Amino acid sequence: MPETRTFTIDTLPGAAPLDVPYAEVRGERDGPRLTVVAGVHGTEYTSIAAVREFVQALDPAALAGSVTAVPVMNPPAFWARSPFVVPVDGKNLNRSFPGDPGGGYTDVLAHRLFQRFATGTDYLLDLHAGDLPEALEPFTIYDESPVEEAARGLAAAYGLGHVVRQAAAGRTVGGSTSAAAADAGIPAIIAEAGQNGVLDRASVELHRAGLANVLAHLGMTGGTVPAASPEEHPGWEWLRTPVDGWWEPAVATGERVAAGDRLGVVSGLLGGVAHEVVAPVAGVPLFLTSSPAVVEDGLLLGLARQAGA
């Protein structure tokens, strides 16, 4: 059984102390220190469920090294059922790492979480899923850094169909756990499976299989990593709408598109095309907004670039 503990954050500006439950399992043999987190976004339930089940199933007698598991990194968003953002100040926690001890609520939360659960670990896995208005094809992300080959190994071992490398310059996703960890010299990935805030068993099992694969990849268990050949993407194009309107995608996640293909349309509430969305490069949409309601500068989809595009 894991050791269950609570990390109390008592320095959040203008707020009561916040308790973050976590668990630790120490193996009977020496090995790496692995941190597994979820719930950075509070309504991505498949990833939270996977971390809960994963840590309960670990056997210290069969484990080399140690695992720290945090199923819900963002309790305020979890309890409020708030997609994407911390409800206290409306900031996205996964755009706020490594945080700022002198900043606002989310900045301080990110700082304390990063210092407690990322600093000092050997590897970091951050599990996610498609949030309430978000359809998603399973994928992993790692960041360009001096430790990127180790991070790429984690991303491939996780066993999902797509792996995206994010360049350090002009990051599409700045302030994420994996980007902040890469800057600190910690191999890390974000793993995504599940969509629309639905707790579906198949996606939970994808995450659990990925976690088992990573343990085997790191030599922390005696398991083997199944052979896999994920499609590797050299980066992202995140497409936004310049206007408010009614969003209708013309493609599905996982569908291959060519440069210039029509990806969808934003129209007025009474009809008429306000903005047509076309693919700037060839690639694969790995997530898209499934809600018709979009506001100016709202994110519509993430197009993973095809290698060579």
Side-chain angles (χ1 to χ4, degrees):
M1 292 292 291
E3 298 178 25
T4 57
R5 300 182 179 179
T6 300
F7 175 49
T8 299
I9 304 174
D10 56 7
T11 56
L12 295 165
L18 179 69
D19 289 338
V20 181
Y22 68 101
E24 290 188 344
V25 178
R26 298 185 182 277
E28 295 184 359
R29 295 172 287 126
D30 290 339
R33 295 165 295 178
L34 173 66
T35 298
V36 181
V37 306
V40 171
H41 294 141
T43 58
E44 297 179 0
Y45 299 119
T46 58
S47 53
I48 295 170
V51 173
R52 283 165 42 91
E53 296 176 17
F54 161 73
V55 72
Q56 291 295 330
L58 285 175
D59 179 6
L63 182 68
S66 65
V67 174
T68 299
V70 191
V72 179
M73 289 273 274
N74 189 349
F78 176 77
W79 294 119
R81 301 183 186 133
S82 172
F84 300 115
V85 301
V86 178
V88 177
D89 58 9
K91 290 186 176 180
N92 188 332
L93 181 59
N94 211 36
R95 303 295 179 271
S96 303
F97 292 104
D100 178 359
Y105 186 99
T106 297
D107 304 308
V108 174
L109 177 61
H111 169 74
R112 294 297 303 277
L113 291 170
F114 193 83
Q115 290 297 310
R116 176 60 187 85
F117 296 114
T119 301
T121 197
D122 294 319
Y123 302 95
L124 175 67
L125 309 180
D126 181 6
L127 278 57
H128 285 253
D131 221 317
L132 294 180
E134 188 175 47
L136 184 141
E137 181 78 7
F139 65 92
T140 54
I141 305 172
Y142 71 96
D143 286 79
E144 177 187 3
S145 76
V147 295
E148 72 173 272
E149 281 307 306
R152 178 173 175 265
L154 299 175
Y158 207 87
L160 302 180
H162 299 269
V163 172
V164 182
R165 177 185 184 267
Q166 180 170 242
R171 281 175 172 149
T172 306
V173 188
S176 68
T177 53
S178 64
D183 290 344
I186 303 165
I189 64 169
I190 288 175
E192 301 255 10
Q195 59 184 347
N196 294 120
V198 175
L199 181 56
D200 74 284
R201 175 48 48 181
S203 297
V204 175
E205 293 302 329
L206 280 178
H207 274 306
R208 290 193 62 179
L211 292 168
N213 290 345
V214 168
L215 288 181
H217 169 74
L218 295 175
M220 298 179 71
T221 63
T224 58
V225 183
S229 300
E231 181 173 358
E232 299 199 38
H233 302 273
W236 288 104
E237 298 288 339
W238 281 23
L239 304 182
R240 298 179 176 273
T241 174
V243 293
D244 300 343
W246 179 276
W247 161 239
E248 293 186 71
V251 294
T253 58
E255 181 179 336
R256 194 165 303 281
V257 301
D261 281 358
R262 188 181 196 227
L263 303 180
V265 169
V266 179
S267 60
L269 293 185
L270 293 176
V273 174
H275 176 63
E276 185 173 40
V277 183
V278 298
V281 296
V284 180
L286 293 184
F287 68 84
L288 60 82
T289 296
S290 52
S291 164
V294 294
V295 296
E296 182 181 350
D297 199 41
L299 182 60
L300 299 176
L301 61 87
L303 180 67
R305 292 198 297 268
Q306 181 178 306

